[in-house]
Amino acid sequence: VKRILIKIKLNAWIIKFLAEDAPKDKKFFNKPLKYDIIFAKSLSYYVFILFFRLCINYLGIKEIEVFLKDLIAYLPNLFVWILIWFFGIRFADSIYTIVSHTLSFSRDKVAKVVAYWAKIIILFFTFMLVVSYTKIISEFAINTVIVGFISMLALAWWLAFGLGWNDLAKESLER
């Protein structure tokens, strides 16, 4: 499978695209992750499961065949889940950088805190999107958690202005 990836030049694209996110901490990771090998092995396991299902179907073992059919139907959803999560994390990092650089003219500590909270909000909504896509939790529970999260942010904003940011808001309006 790795040779096929090299032939169609998907191997170089995977390495180039994912090399930026390779773990840098040598304390936990002794070797860098090889994303092309991970992708090739995942693809080979998927192909193996496809052929294994055909063999089980030929032998007439219905219970295992139904399980493998459900597994094969779920694996592409899992791949899309991983892609959504990956791009959500990259988007959250980009938002963190944009917000911290945009607010850098003010106090540096405030810029970092606001950027960190923007990143947390993006990661939360990415997580909720992933959970909704994989249908792990019902839509009612997801909607309840999202409404609760937005209500929590609104309450925190209201309390912040009510308790401590009055002077900051007054200074901002006077400028």
Side-chain angles (χ1 to χ4, degrees), residues 4-175:
I4 294 171
L5 292 176
I6 291 171
K7 286 267 190 203
I8 61 174
K9 297 182 181 176
L10 187 62
N11 188 29
W13 182 82
I14 292 170
I15 292 171
K16 178 184 171 197
F17 190 68
L18 297 176
E20 299 169 1
D21 294 332
K24 307 283 191 288
D25 191 3
K26 294 296 181 187
K27 182 177 177 183
F28 296 108
F29 302 101
N30 293 330
K31 300 178 193 175
L33 290 175
K34 297 182 179 178
Y35 292 105
D36 56 336
I37 294 174
I38 293 171
F39 184 76
K41 286 192 182 252
S42 301
L43 187 62
S44 64
Y45 289 142
Y46 186 70
V47 170
F48 172 76
I49 290 173
L50 285 173
F51 285 113
F52 187 65
R53 179 179 169 236
L54 291 175
C55 294
I56 293 296
N57 192 15
Y58 179 74
L59 292 174
I61 306 173
K62 294 293 181 194
E63 293 82 15
I64 297 176
E65 196 272 328
V66 169
F67 169 73
L68 289 175
K69 183 178 115 184
D70 292 341
L71 181 66
I72 290 169
Y74 188 73
L75 284 178
N77 290 339
L78 187 64
F79 179 68
V80 171
W81 172 84
I82 291 170
L83 282 177
I84 290 171
W85 189 245
F86 172 74
F87 285 115
I89 290 172
R90 292 196 49 126
F91 181 67
D93 288 339
S94 299
I95 291 296
Y96 177 82
T97 305
I98 290 169
V99 170
S100 66
H101 288 304
T102 303
L103 296 176
S104 64
F105 65 88
S106 66
R107 285 181 259 161
D108 192 42
K109 190 174 182 181
V110 172
K112 297 274 186 207
V113 168
V114 172
Y116 183 71
W117 278 103
K119 182 178 180 177
I120 287 175
I121 290 169
I122 297 294
L123 287 175
F124 172 76
F125 283 114
T126 301
F127 175 74
M128 294 311 290
L129 179 68
V130 165
V131 169
S132 173
Y133 183 77
T134 55
K135 295 180 177 74
I136 295 173
I137 302 174
S138 69
E139 289 293 320
F140 176 74
I142 291 172
N143 291 339
T144 304
V145 169
I146 289 175
V147 167
F149 185 75
I150 292 172
S151 301
M152 178 198 65
L153 288 177
L155 184 63
W157 190 260
W158 175 70
L159 284 174
F161 268 112
L163 295 177
W165 286 359
N166 286 336
D167 299 331
L168 179 68
K170 187 186 293 184
E171 288 175 17
S172 298
L173 291 175
E174 288 175 359
R175 287 187 214 177

